[in-house]
Amino acid sequence: MKKKHIMLAGVLLFATAGMQSCLDFDDPGSEAGKNVFETETTRYVGNVDSIPFLNEPTPEGVQAAIDTLQGKYRYFGQCLSGIYMMRGGKEGQLPGDHAYQRQYSLGPDLYAQYFTVPHKDFMYGTLTSTYNISAEFNGGPLGAYTMAKNQFMPFLNHPLADSIPEIKAINLLYYCLTAQEQADLAGPFTYLEDKKNSEEPEEYNDMKTIYYGIVENLNTIIACLEHFETRPDWYKEQIQNIVMDNFATGYNLMGGDMSLNSYIKFANSLKLRMAMHIVKVEPATAQKWAEEAVAGGVIESAYDQHGIFPLIYSFTHPLANIANGWGDLRLCASFESLMMSLDHPYAKYLFETNSYDIPHKNGVDTLKAKTRICGIRAGVLVGDGQTYALNKRQAYSSISTDVLAIGRCPAYFVKWSEVDFLRAEGALRGWNMGGTAQEFYERGIRNAFLEDPMSGTQYSNYVNEYMQRETPVAYTSVDPIGDGAPWESVTKIGVKWNEADDNETKLEKIITQKYFALFPLSTEAWTEMRRTGYPKMFQVLNTDDGDGSIKQGKAGQAQEGIIRRIPWVPTDPIAANMVEFSGIPALGGPDEQATRLWWDVDAPNF
């Protein structure tokens, strides 16, 4: 059964100080910023944190709310637009190439070392290397949050939203996710004022305030959705129809599940994710949140996962065109080395060998076409050209067009395998996760594939053998155009679970497999790299091409020499003043790439 998604013509946007919207970068003269919805003259400031789910609904009250919110003003469509924007949508459309590239491919995809950009020139700026800093590119990931929250807040603040509290809860859940991701990219932002639908927010909130606020919201959301089972049948049917028509980001609803249980599991899984993020800074709180989340029910099946699924929404993942149509991404050598060292299933079908001959820098040797999977080192100073004739780095390995272009790869929000790896780490730390670290680790690997779980995958053909690997494969990466030198793999672990391993080795195994499972959700992979130091990677080259705050790291030391956050880089005096007098105090350090976020503690994992 396919969902009929809503294609909207435009969205209403407001700029947040210190952040840039990524909506109009490809066409400065576009009409994208204009609102085509009929709008109310009143800008409501309600209580987003309050969801009065204990109030008894009446058919007249519920219908009046729906007639106004959707029939007249199309707030549900506006919220759906916000959901799309969380994964590269714009102008009310499904995730698309340009916005996705600004949000992920020119920032977090590089910071997680999934990909490297093989050339420097774009129509809206220049990116000379991985950490090259510019307002043009920083604005993409940060602006995605701004666009999304501007779609959610008018509905969440509207007084009639309280008449349909489950719909308010579901959209607040989506906002909680985008707020969590925003905080983990750059740190403090105007969270409390954003929730009040402020046009001109002024005060940055620190990350602890943001994290605690999100978890408080999640607890309220969960309580509301659990209460849904006690509602009258007429009301449940009406709410389920709204969800089906507008917000079904999981497969369970397509099967007619009216319980909204998958949203409860979604909320608890997000709470579990956030719990693990803070394990170094507030370990007792982390354990409390994690155990509460698991006890309340987290994602435990493919049907419970949430994301934008191709089989429901009929879209093709933007990476297909960004990487292969435009030639703007190539496999990062760190990911190549990790994948090949463990003989990961992705090396069998997801990434291609070099497409053309690659001449060696010595002018004599040549790596022949179709010879090997070949990545580009993170931080390499790249040149010009989006074609092989102009730029031989275009011949390096890319993600398979066959796997992506047939439209089978989702844009996940929270994935089953991620949740299992979170539970594996929690169990390793002695928390009550409902099972053992080994059980969750092994189940996480089995369900770690990229493809839509309802469409079948080649991954299953290789996973059994993969899980038996006890030691890494001896592997050497080569970049013919770069320094020409071979780089021995820094991966020294295997895949198979060994109860005799020490906790640090077990954690490295968990996070390494989680890194594969998260692909291509680079925002979360980068967070885990910063938090744990895993997986081990090659050092990033030319870190001084950033803002000068990052020192050169060492091979295999993932926490050394890597970017810790995306700076705000304000572009006007008002935004710069806010950063200086509000942002930096909330951050607790300078607005630099090397400044650690609240949860990013420089301390041992155990």
Side-chain angles (χ1 to χ4, degrees), residues 285-341:
T285 302
Q287 181 175 356
K288 177 178 180 293
W289 288 356
E291 291 183 342
E292 286 174 351
V294 170
V298 293
I299 294 171
E300 291 198 87
S301 78
Y303 280 92
D304 292 330
Q305 299 178 117
H306 278 261
I308 302 176
F309 291 95
L311 295 184
I312 299 176
Y313 289 89
S314 301
F315 87 107
T316 297
H317 200 288
L319 279 174
N321 196 41
I322 295 169
N324 300 322
W326 296 345
D328 286 352
L329 288 176
R330 290 294 177 264
L331 178 66
C332 181
S334 290
F335 193 15
E336 168 211 345
S337 179
L338 182 68
M339 183 167 50
M340 302 303 289
S341 294

Side-chain angles (χ1 to χ4, degrees), residues 60-78:
E60 298 78 15
V62 171
Q63 192 59 53
I66 294 171
D67 289 345
T68 299
L69 292 170
Q70 179 63 353
K72 187 174 182 180
Y73 296 115
R74 296 176 63 195
Y75 276 109
F76 300 160
Q78 190 170 343

Side-chain angles (χ1 to χ4, degrees), residues 412-443:
Y412 284 104
F413 293 140
V414 181
K415 192 176 178 181
W416 179 16
S417 54
E418 178 195 350
V419 173
D420 271 351
F421 288 122
L422 288 166
R423 296 175 77 177
E425 181 177 349
L428 182 65
R429 295 182 179 279
W431 303 350
N432 183 2
M433 295 287 100
T436 68
Q438 180 177 352
E439 289 169 348
F440 294 126
Y441 173 79
E442 292 177 346
R443 191 171 72 177

Side-chain angles (χ1 to χ4, degrees), residues 256-277:
D257 181 358
M258 294 179 62
S259 68
L260 303 185
N261 278 337
S262 79
Y263 289 101
I264 297 172
K265 294 175 181 179
F266 182 0
N268 275 315
S269 297
L270 178 57
K271 184 177 177 179
L272 178 59
R273 174 193 283 180
M274 295 176 68
M276 202 60 71
H277 287 181

